[in-house]
Amino acid sequence: MTQSYDAIVIGGGHNGLTCAAYLAKAGRKVLVLERRYLVGGAAVTEEKFPGFKFTVCSYVVSLLRPEVIRELELAKHGLQVMPLDSYWVPKEDGDQLAMYADPAALREEVRRHSKRDAEMIPKYNQMMYHIANAVKPILGYVPPNPASPGLRGARTLSEFGKHLQSLDKKTFHQLSKIMTMSADDFLAEWVETDVIRALMGINGIIGTKLGVKSPGTAYVLLHHYMGELDGAFTAWGAQRGGTGGVSDAIASAAKSYGAEIRCNASVERVLVKNGRAVGVVLEGGEEIYAKTIASGADPYVTFRKLLDAKDLPDDLVSAIDKFKFRGSSGKVNLALDTAPKFSAMTDPAFLRGMMEICPSVDYVEQAYDDAKYGAFSKRPYVDVDIPTMIDPTMAPPGKHVMSCFVQYASYNMPEYGDRDQQRDAFGNAVIDTLSEFMPNLKDIILHKQVLTPWDIEQEIGLTEGNIFGGELTLDQLFFFRPAAGWADYRTPIRNYYQCGSGVHPGGGITSGPGRLGAMEILRDGN
Amino acid sequence: MPRQTPFHSRTNALCESQNWVEWSGFFSAQTYEMDHIHEYNAIRLGAGLFDVSPLFKYFIRGRDAVALMNRVITRDASKCGVGQIFYTAWCDDEGKIIDDGTVARLGDDFFRMTAATPTLCWLQDNAFGMEVEIEEVTDAYGALALQGPTSRDLLQQLTDADLSSLKYFRMLETKLAGVPVNISRNGYTGDLGYEIFAEPGQCEKVWDALIETGVAYKLMPAGMVALDMVRIEAGMLLLDADFHSASTAMFEVEKTSPYELGLGWMVNLKKDHFVGQGALRRENARGPATCTVGLEIDVLALEKVFVQNSMPLQLPYQSWVDTLPVYSDSDQRDHIGRATSGTWSPVMKKYVVIGRVKPQYAKIGTQVYVEQTVEARRYAVPATVVKMPFFDPPRKRG
């Protein structure tokens, strides 16, 4: 039996769902095909053990575009994000650093470490605020082709230029530095306290196989400054029930507009006839036809797996083969019998925020050194979040789930043996490292889930386990994402579009690629 | 200096912010932490615990208790079953609202009334010739409001009573952590929630049990700042914010009727005489002069106003109580009413406002303009009349 749709969206990740929601809202008959048993892609919550819900991969929300929240009425569909208001770091000497969102509390805490930094950090934040505000509109632009921008592209570039001109001269210089320097070098110009630099530098390396001292990482700092919660600049938050709740809200919105979502439906390839996409073939041979096909998968899957290379221009094939995925992050999700105790923590209220294992700049850079040649960090950077400190829906009363985002790991780490042995060794290194700071941890672990980049690829489908669907380095952003000339959500195959995090504005729970992809599809009259 | 409620030793120990205000003669915490936002989120995700002891409380007992209640309140007290609670208004002779509160029927001839303002005189004066005993019991009971999605599960851990069978606006007598309490299922948050009354000497024990067991249920003590945000989301009116008491208003223009406040549903014109009935009957026939409405401010339009001032959109971080003009036109020529309280709702991602407008503008979907001040300039920002309560989850009644 064959069915026909106006549009098929491949992949029910949050971007695919977003694209489907916008298309359905515009009156299109839309079908979303998801390989797994549930939607969400990397933004999923799964009850891996009875009563314990894990934010399997992605775990916090900030970059979700406010226009998407509004236009799809996501709050009505279940979006509920609670702000996380402190970043807490245990130092190796037993002291702590607590970076509060509240400016007065932050100043007092930083004064303990450095009086100079207590004055500089607000200045730094102010500078980043201005830069982020000037650069942020770019998140809503369709990247023009700089080689031949056309009228529309020229308009985009000039509008962006105007935003940049709103920066004063000094801030503009800082922007130039951000575009070129390493995160740590850039921060060192502002902040003297080592542990603060370590903590602030972390945002430069998330999801990227680079160290805080690698040039180019300063830009990734900025990327993390473009988020907001209810208009509160750079605030990060946790979704009720985990990030799967965000995907569910988008899915619910999509369904309310009439989109159909089919799980356990793995797309094997896109049907191309005379240079035009006409449908998809599912695993098992079922063919489904549609006027438009949009891929929410990453660029490698979109172009190299779902299509035949002969249907594509050579330069694009070559660009996609060079596109850097090299997943460098892993995840360890733990079910805990009780709340953990950090030996350096003076106030249990910090457990409600983020806890960061990054006691010094050298510690973080050393973690990269370990991983540079294809291993995992012996003592990794870990971003710890215990959603059950505020969310009653993810574990039985009194019990907890702890999400540990880990950097670095490598896609293949053969020195530890086969895949199972690699996973075990990696998981043990993470838990051993955490135990240095949380002596009771091993006693309270009830269950664990360990994901290396390879596991993320197997489970979620992200090539080489890159959480952003391709690294967020400058050479892979905006009009380079995923390849020069093909950054406007279109592809060389007519009626075949991209709408995943491998296109602008990139990774993280932004819904940006999904929305912009849908807009371009509609613009083409599809 | 304000007095201390029976929970003060406990609330004081937890009140990091030391941000107290006076509420009906008592110390009341505005926030417990420096910032209210966790308390707000706890109410909508876990549970919030409020000390509402300052509410004025009265016992009305005796053969004519029903008659007195029926003479004072606008609803029909004879319809209030034992174990049931009415939310109701009471008015003066002109049909202008004096106060609103709850009336709970503890027995056939026994009511408990709560009020925001002192009401003893009003009850006594209206009891002329009746066989009824009126007692102010404000200090005889400490009161807590436990509100939020986990409140039932949390409370159930501490009592043998079956809370799943306790319906909305019903109450029961039971023991909580061994302490005799009266638990009613109602509140001022629009969420699943309970109010708990206990004798002062036992209050600390009740508080301690709730706080200790509450950890697993994500309970936080919560103050008035968070409460004001959730009550606006719930579309619940606040005295001296959304309306004034006719008994304390200095000028006629400050007075309002239940019809004007959207409380017409609680005016029972068919029952025997009650104070204000004649005036309310006449008002009902001709229609109210203004109507209370929910407004949703167009945030995109508000953002444009900020952008005109070279600023990114700024949303109110907490609720406000004010009197802002409402217009029918963007030129601010045709004044049609007022906005009385508002909040950005983090849970709904909407900027919601309670206001009063001329009846012809009260229809759902009508566009009006609310004055907003940005950088010392006044702007008329479009807003749409929407249904109240703004936030109305099934768990509230379910």
Side-chain angles (χ1 to χ4, degrees):
Chain A
M1 192 191 87
T2 58
Q3 291 170 291
S4 188
Y5 292 87
D6 291 327
I8 288 173
V9 177
I10 302 170
H14 87 278
N15 275 309
L17 293 168
T18 304
C19 183
Y22 277 98
L23 293 177
K25 196 178 174 191
R28 303 296 184 273
K29 191 180 174 207
V30 184
L31 172 68
V32 179
L33 295 170
E34 168 55 41
R35 183 179 59 93
R36 299 191 68 203
Y37 71 94
L38 82 174
V39 293
V44 282
T45 304
E46 291 185 75
E47 191 166 337
K48 285 283 173 187
F49 303 95
F52 293 93
K53 293 180 184 164
F54 287 158
T55 49
V56 174
C57 291
S58 129
Y59 52 102
V60 281
V61 188
S62 170
L63 299 167
L64 184 58
R65 305 296 304 140
E67 63 267 24
V68 176
I69 297 176
R70 262 192 314 258
E71 289 161 357
L72 301 183
E73 296 187 278
L74 295 185
K76 197 175 90 184
H77 292 283
L79 184 84
Q80 191 178 350
V81 183
M82 272 62 59
L84 296 158
D85 64 349
S86 65
Y87 292 83
W88 181 87
V89 190
K91 285 176 66 185
E92 285 177 299
D93 62 5
D95 192 8
Q96 63 178 354
L97 169 72
M99 295 288 270
Y100 298 88
D102 174 57
L106 174 68
R107 188 181 59 239
E108 287 312 301
E109 166 67 3
V110 174
R111 269 174 65 84
R112 285 198 316 115
H113 300 273
S114 155
K115 287 182 178 150
R116 184 185 161 76
D117 285 353
E119 289 181 28
M120 285 305 282
I121 285 173
K123 291 185 206 293
Y124 172 83
N125 283 335
Q126 199 177 31
M127 179 266 305
M128 289 298 269
Y129 177 81
H130 284 127
I131 295 183
N133 263 328
V135 175
K136 215 163 152 179
I138 206 172
L139 297 179
Y141 293 156
V142 174
N145 184 344
S148 56
L151 199 59
R152 187 170 169 226
R155 211 163 30 217
T156 304
L157 290 172
S158 109
E159 198 184 311
F160 185 49
K162 255 184 237 154
H163 282 289
L164 291 185
Q165 275 167 13
S166 72
L167 293 175
D168 64 47
K169 215 186 282 176
K170 271 189 197 159
T171 315
F172 191 81
H173 294 158
Q174 292 297 330
L175 174 61
S176 317
K177 289 186 171 194
I178 284 186
M179 292 300 184
T180 50
M181 288 174 86
S182 79
D184 189 54
D185 283 343
F186 182 70
L187 286 164
E189 294 191 352
W190 291 83
V191 180
E192 64 183 12
T193 308
D194 184 78
V195 63
I196 301 179
R197 253 168 59 197
L199 173 64
M200 293 170 81
I202 287 304
N203 278 337
I205 56 148
I206 299 273
T208 308
K209 195 145 196 183
L210 289 171
V212 286
K213 295 186 178 183
S214 311
T217 48
Y219 168 75
V220 192
L221 288 181
L222 185 60
H223 190 81
H224 284 86
Y225 265 83
M226 294 201 234
E228 63 179 282
L229 268 185
D230 297 330
F233 168 66
T234 73
W236 286 78
Q239 159 71 26
R240 175 173 53 90
T243 55
V246 179
S247 304
D248 291 344
I250 304 171
S252 163
K255 282 188 212 157
S256 76
Y257 301 125
E260 204 179 308
I261 298 173
R262 216 170 121 183
C263 290
N264 300 307
S266 178
V267 176
E268 204 169 65
R269 69 196 152 86
V270 173
L271 282 169
V272 179
K273 253 185 207 158
N274 305 324
R276 186 188 289 266
V278 295
V280 297
V281 187
L282 299 187
E283 234 175 57
E286 184 185 347
E287 294 185 0
I288 310 175
Y289 298 97
K291 288 182 215 133
T292 302
I293 313 292
S295 170
D298 70 45
Y300 188 79
V301 175
T302 299
F303 291 107
R304 303 290 281 117
K305 282 199 165 165
L306 296 175
L307 293 177
D308 195 327
K310 74 172 165 41
D311 290 326
L312 294 170
D314 285 353
D315 60 343
L316 177 60
V317 173
S318 148
I320 297 300
D321 286 348
K322 287 177 196 147
F323 194 72
K324 294 188 303 276
F325 291 97
R326 52 179 193 189
S328 55
S329 336
K331 194 80 194 293
V332 175
N333 297 311
L334 300 175
L336 303 178
D337 195 29
T338 170
K341 284 196 175 75
F342 281 87
S343 34
M345 191 176 277
T346 54
D347 182 351
F350 295 130
L351 289 174
R352 294 193 319 222
M354 305 296 300
M355 289 135 282
E356 311 283 322
I357 308 298
C358 56
S360 66
V361 173
D362 284 349
Y363 176 100
V364 180
E365 186 66 10
Q366 182 68 50
Y368 173 53
D369 291 346
D370 289 350
K372 210 187 266 178
Y373 305 103
F376 56 73
S377 314
K378 287 181 198 73
R379 296 175 79 211
Y381 157 64
V382 192
D383 190 13
V384 181
D385 164 34
I386 310 173
T388 43
M389 292 308 297
I390 48 174
D391 188 341
T393 68
M394 299 180 71
K399 314 280 183 208
H400 291 277
V401 291
M402 185 160 106
S403 149
C404 310
F405 171 86
V406 187
Q407 213 155 320
Y408 302 81
S410 297
Y411 178 63
N412 198 8
M413 305 176 282
E415 68 176 277
Y416 303 103
D418 65 19
R419 292 292 183 185
D420 289 338
Q421 289 163 324
Q422 291 179 26
R423 184 185 311 111
D424 285 348
F426 171 68
N428 290 340
V430 174
I431 290 168
D432 285 345
T433 303
L434 290 172
S435 298
E436 287 178 42
F437 303 95
M438 279 182 271
N440 73 335
L441 180 63
K442 287 180 184 171
D443 303 333
I444 58 173
I445 297 176
L446 298 173
H447 310 285
K448 68 175 174 184
Q449 178 194 29
V450 180
L451 295 155
T452 65
W454 182 81
D455 296 306
I456 293 174
E457 181 186 69
Q458 300 304 305
E459 192 121 336
I460 309 298
L462 289 164
T463 301
E464 291 180 21
N466 185 289
I467 61 170
F468 292 144
E471 284 192 339
L472 288 182
T473 48
L474 271 177
D475 56 312
Q476 301 200 146
L477 288 177
F478 203 44
F479 39 63
F480 288 125
R481 195 166 184 86
W486 301 107
D488 64 353
Y489 309 91
R490 293 170 185 83
T491 71
I493 309 294
R494 282 191 66 188
N495 301 340
Y496 185 45
Y497 291 83
Q498 316 170 66
C499 66
S501 59
V503 268
H504 178 75
I509 303 178
T510 73
S511 278
R515 177 176 180 272
L516 289 170
M519 297 296 168
E520 292 309 285
I521 291 170
L522 295 170
R523 196 185 164 84
D524 287 349
N526 284 5
Chain B
M1 193 163 113
R3 294 188 290 148
Q4 301 181 352
T5 77
F7 299 100
H8 192 83
S9 66
R10 300 303 191 262
T11 53
N12 188 37
L14 290 170
C15 190
E16 280 174 19
S17 68
Q18 286 298 309
N19 185 359
W20 302 96
V21 286
E22 184 269 350
W23 173 17
S24 297
F26 290 90
F27 276 115
S28 174
Q30 283 281 66
T31 61
Y32 283 84
E33 297 187 343
M34 293 301 292
D35 188 293
H36 63 280
I37 201 71
H38 292 138
E39 297 166 25
Y40 166 84
N41 281 312
I43 300 161
R44 293 293 185 225
L45 184 65
L49 186 61
F50 304 91
D51 178 2
V52 294
S53 305
L55 280 173
F56 291 95
K57 309 171 201 75
Y58 304 92
F59 279 164
I60 297 99
R61 269 184 274 231
R63 201 190 65 195
D64 291 330
V66 178
L68 174 60
M69 284 293 95
N70 253 344
R71 183 186 162 81
V72 171
I73 68 173
T74 54
R75 293 181 72 178
D76 186 349
S78 67
K79 298 263 169 64
C80 184
V82 174
Q84 194 177 355
I85 298 166
F86 272 6
Y87 168 50
T88 184
W90 48 99
C91 296
D92 66 6
D93 262 334
E94 275 72 50
K96 300 297 184 187
I97 194 161
I98 293 175
D99 200 351
D100 64 342
T102 61
V103 168
R105 191 161 187 178
L106 303 177
D108 284 338
D109 298 319
F110 184 12
F111 289 87
R112 181 187 76 198
M113 191 173 177
T114 62
T117 52
T119 309
L120 183 66
C121 278
W122 187 246
L123 290 171
Q124 285 172 340
D125 291 354
N126 279 290
F128 182 78
M130 290 186 190
E131 196 175 298
V132 67
E133 186 190 321
I134 302 157
E135 186 188 1
E136 195 205 305
V137 291
T138 303
D139 292 349
Y141 292 91
L144 294 174
L146 174 69
Q147 302 280 310
T150 62
S151 57
R152 180 190 288 145
D153 292 343
L154 160 55
L155 210 49
Q156 192 63 74
Q157 301 301 311
L158 297 168
T159 175
D160 294 332
D162 176 18
L163 292 175
S164 64
S165 59
L166 182 62
K167 294 205 163 60
Y168 195 45
F169 275 93
R170 295 293 195 285
M171 65 184 176
L172 51 81
E173 307 278 339
T174 181
K175 279 189 173 170
L176 201 151
V179 176
V181 290
N182 175 289
I183 295 176
S184 58
R185 188 169 158 203
N186 57 301
Y188 195 52
T189 64
D191 219 302
L192 172 64
Y194 300 86
E195 289 184 354
I196 302 158
F197 283 61
E199 286 178 16
Q202 309 262 43
C203 278
E204 289 167 347
K205 210 172 156 192
V206 171
W207 177 276
D208 291 344
L210 285 167
I211 289 288
E212 194 190 318
T213 309
V215 174
Y217 295 88
K218 317 307 160 198
L219 173 78
M220 286 187 78
M224 296 300 119
V225 174
L227 181 63
D228 199 53
M229 287 175 77
V230 293
R231 71 94 190 162
I232 294 171
E233 290 176 343
M236 300 180 117
L237 306 180
L238 176 65
L239 183 91
D240 289 336
D242 303 299
F243 67 99
H244 295 283
S245 168
S247 70
T248 54
M250 298 295 283
F251 309 102
E252 224 29 58
V253 290
E254 293 176 338
K255 298 177 183 176
T256 48
S257 77
Y259 291 116
E260 292 177 308
L261 295 174
L263 303 177
W265 62 270
M266 59 170 68
V267 179
N268 188 328
L269 293 172
K270 292 196 190 108
K271 71 171 186 173
D272 281 348
H273 173 76
F274 64 94
V275 183
Q277 189 180 33
L280 288 169
R281 192 168 276 147
R282 287 189 295 279
E283 183 181 347
N284 185 45
R286 70 172 181 268
T290 62
C291 290
T292 293
V293 290
L295 298 170
E296 188 186 321
I297 292 200
D298 181 344
V299 176
L300 285 180
L302 183 61
E303 183 172 34
K304 282 195 189 123
V305 169
F306 277 96
V307 170
Q308 277 176 37
N309 287 278
S310 306
M311 293 161 83
L313 171 66
Q314 286 171 18
L315 296 164
Y317 188 55
Q318 62 184 62
S319 58
W320 51 260
V321 164
D322 204 339
T323 313
L324 302 180
V326 178
Y327 302 95
S328 73
D329 61 334
S330 59
D331 298 336
Q332 306 177 50
R333 291 209 180 91
D334 184 26
H335 180 269
I336 56 165
R338 67 185 68 200
T340 48
S341 50
T343 190
W344 169 254
S345 164
V347 73
M348 292 185 294
K349 304 282 178 233
K350 284 177 177 170
Y351 187 174
V352 292
V353 168
I354 297 175
R356 282 205 302 281
V357 295
K358 290 179 183 167
Q360 62 267 40
Y361 298 98
K363 218 177 122 214
I364 303 289
T366 308
Q367 178 167 300
V368 298
Y369 295 84
V370 177
E371 185 176 286
Q372 295 277 289
T373 305
V374 175
E375 278 299 290
R377 282 173 209 269
R378 290 175 179 158
Y379 297 88
V381 176
T384 308
V385 176
V386 296
K387 207 175 125 259
M388 273 209 299
F390 305 105
F391 181 76
D392 196 15
R395 63 179 180 253
K396 178 171 91 177
R397 287 183 184 79

